[in-house]
Amino acid sequence: MSDTRRPNLVLITADQWRGDCLSGTGSPHPVMTPHVTQIGCEGARFVNAYADCPVCQPQRVTQLTGQVASRFGLTHNFGGKAQTPVDPLRSLPGRLVREAGYQAQAVGKMHFEPPRARLGFEHIRLHPNDYAMWLEENGMGGMYRGHGLGGNEVYPAVSAVPERFTHTHWVIDEAIRFLYQREPDVPFFLWLVFEAPHSPFDPPEPYDRMYDNFTIPDPVRGDWADEAYPPAFAKRVAMAKYDHLTPEMIREARRKYYGQVSHIDYQLGRFFGELMTRGLYGNTAICFTADHGEHLGDHGLFAKTTFLRGSGDVPLLLRLPATHPPARPDLVVRTPALTADICPTFLELAGLTPDADCDGASLLPALREGRTDDDRRIHGECGGTAFCTDGRFKYLYYEEGGIEQLFDLRSDPDEKTDLSARPDLADTRDALRNSLVEYLLRYNRPMAAGGVLRTVNGEFDEHRIRGMNPYAYRGPMRYGMGYYGHSG
């Protein structure tokens, strides 16, 4: 007899999926995501959801612990050397296994250090290591990123392997295999982490041509970008040579990105169908989110690390199991949310209480009670930038050059007009700035040194920066070797 007292838990994390890339939401991006959108139709969609640190590795820690990056002190990618600060006994999977009798498996891009760390999971099928070895075993050795583009290059491409050999398809195959191999009489926690739609933008056929007949919107550019462009942005543009991309190249890169998004969504249709076929869907909670977004050329940028729209905001959709019905389906929740909220939400669904050092808040009250507009300020920092928002206004700070920005998210969702110098909004700006300083001081963060936001020199040698090429790194992707050239 299956344990119906505790629901199954599925967390789906895409890598670099913009919060506004969902079909049926009025997005300017013409993406087709019927299965992901359905999760929100059955439960709730949080339209002001953010990563507190929009970069890959810190967000893995946040989603497993409910702690923000400012607490564990790593507000950048760890670079493959730092130890991931997760206590496996206190992580989300660790607690579910020890205290609630769950079976816990992870599949996909864990991005842990060391790579084979389980961090509370009983078993991990790891991308790229296990996936690269699987390609070897199936006659596709060396074909992961076989087109030659590196993991952070944004020129459009097509997958070097057929669709059934892509990492997206592999993740779903491994997830379905887990459903067949799991112990049937205990609940399970399954974490699926896709590498896509992270660059390189290389969907397989037919997804590479799926958006050829769609009108592709141009990137947005703020009126502040000409006179108050943050030095950190200018440095990145020079290093990554984004200014070498023509409008046609950017438009095609966007098409390929949308193709990757739809590829994930359609593959999730296979997984959801398997849950239904096996009678598991009704008692399974499903949360879909991302570790961060992707600028896609907005404001001259690609990739992540800022809190501007497209980078700092993420999709966050939650479907509850039949044992925890929402007040009504298809809730659109405007209360600001964080990816740190996922861990306490899943703990509560399993009948457990979050740890005292958990920074997130359960999302269940919003769904149970139909609450959509609670007051809440959320914060975050990533490298040399930080933000605070109450859902209406967003305040951003860049320590290089000491630049402030303030946006009215209701009237200017694309953040084209900086209002930080408007006298009539000085009180709003100061209140959000003070709230951000308090947040940084709470965690003893250096950006709030001396109780004020720190400013550093933003000057740089453009010729030296242009001489760098870290974005083209492809990695030795053979024989089970991972991003940093070892098998773990």
Side-chain angles (χ1 to χ4, degrees), residues 271-347:
F271 176 67
F272 296 155
E274 194 69 34
L275 288 174
M276 294 175 185
T277 298
R278 299 183 66 79
L280 298 169
Y281 191 78
N283 195 39
T284 298
I286 301 173
C287 179
F288 180 88
T289 191
D291 54 357
H292 49 73
E294 159 63 60
H295 286 103
L296 277 185
D298 287 348
H299 313 294
L301 300 174
F302 280 84
K304 59 272 189 179
T305 73
T306 85
F307 292 99
L308 291 167
R309 184 184 189 190
S311 169
D313 56 317
V314 296
L316 182 55
L317 303 96
L318 178 61
R319 173 200 183 271
L320 296 182
T323 52
H324 295 71
R328 64 174 179 83
D330 199 24
L331 279 175
V332 176
V333 182
R334 287 172 287 274
T335 305
L338 289 167
T339 55
D341 299 334
I342 296 168
C343 177
T345 301
F346 272 22
L347 287 173

Side-chain angles (χ1 to χ4, degrees), residues 53-381:
C53 182
V55 71
C56 299
Q57 287 180 310
Q59 274 300 295
R60 269 64 173 177
V61 178
T62 294
Q63 293 184 29
L64 287 184
T65 64
Q67 297 178 354
V68 295
S70 298
R71 177 183 291 277
F72 53 81
L74 289 167
T75 60
H76 48 76
N77 265 344
F78 306 157
K81 294 183 178 180
Q83 290 296 313
T84 309
V86 176
D87 179 356
L89 298 179
R90 304 308 302 171
S91 69
L92 173 60
R95 291 197 60 197
L96 289 172
V97 170
R98 289 189 310 111
E99 301 174 35
Y102 275 72
Q103 186 173 354
Q105 168 122 341
V107 178
K109 182 183 177 181
M110 301 300 105
H111 225 162
F112 297 155
E113 178 60 31
R116 288 289 176 185
R118 289 183 292 127
L119 305 183
F121 288 100
E122 296 171 300
H123 191 255
I124 283 178
R125 290 291 286 161
L126 182 63
H127 176 283
N129 306 61
D130 294 332
Y131 169 67
M133 185 59 72
W134 179 81
L135 287 179
E136 297 283 341
E137 295 167 351
N138 286 274
M140 293 282 177
M143 295 305 289
Y144 173 42
R145 296 182 184 168
H147 43 57
L149 287 179
N152 287 289
E153 292 190 279
V154 299
Y155 284 85
V158 179
S159 173
V161 298
E163 196 274 338
R164 70 175 295 265
F165 291 101
T166 62
H167 42 82
T168 293
H169 195 103
W170 178 82
V171 166
I172 295 299
D173 278 352
E174 292 295 322
I176 292 174
R177 182 173 291 111
F178 167 76
L179 296 181
Y180 279 86
Q181 296 176 340
R182 59 177 281 268
E183 183 177 352
D185 292 331
V186 300
F188 65 84
F189 170 47
L190 180 60
W191 190 24
L192 306 181
V193 189
F194 294 95
E195 183 186 45
H198 191 294
S199 54
F201 303 141
D202 58 351
E205 296 180 349
Y207 299 91
D208 63 319
R209 304 299 301 272
M210 180 174 281
Y211 290 93
D212 281 5
N213 295 322
F214 285 64
T215 300
I216 306 301
D218 291 328
V220 301
R221 184 173 178 87
D223 56 17
W224 44 268
D226 294 326
E227 297 182 3
Y229 204 55
F233 293 8
K235 186 185 300 182
R236 190 195 302 184
V237 169
M239 186 179 297
K241 291 82 176 175
Y242 293 148
D243 50 355
H244 291 182
L245 295 166
T246 67
E248 291 81 5
M249 294 174 187
I250 294 174
R251 197 170 296 117
E252 189 62 20
R254 286 185 157 211
R255 281 195 181 93
K256 297 298 191 283
Y257 178 86
Y258 300 155
Q260 286 183 305
V261 165
S262 288
H263 186 206
I264 292 174
D265 182 274
Y266 288 18
Q267 285 296 302
L268 283 171
R270 293 175 56 213
F271 176 67
F272 296 155
E274 194 69 34
L275 288 174
M276 294 175 185
T277 298
R278 299 183 66 79
L280 298 169
Y281 191 78
N283 195 39
T284 298
I286 301 173
C287 179
F288 180 88
T289 191
D291 54 357
H292 49 73
E294 159 63 60
H295 286 103
L296 277 185
D298 287 348
H299 313 294
L301 300 174
F302 280 84
K304 59 272 189 179
T305 73
T306 85
F307 292 99
L308 291 167
R309 184 184 189 190
S311 169
D313 56 317
V314 296
L316 182 55
L317 303 96
L318 178 61
R319 173 200 183 271
L320 296 182
T323 52
H324 295 71
R328 64 174 179 83
D330 199 24
L331 279 175
V332 176
V333 182
R334 287 172 287 274
T335 305
L338 289 167
T339 55
D341 299 334
I342 296 168
C343 177
T345 301
F346 272 22
L347 287 173
E348 184 176 347
L349 283 168
L352 303 178
T353 302
D355 289 342
D357 59 358
C358 177
D359 298 302
S362 174
L363 302 172
L364 293 187
L367 274 75
R368 280 196 306 253
E369 302 164 21
R371 288 156 42 186
T372 61
D373 290 285
D374 290 351
D375 291 332
R376 186 187 186 190
R377 283 181 182 169
I378 58 174
H379 315 76
E381 64 167 321

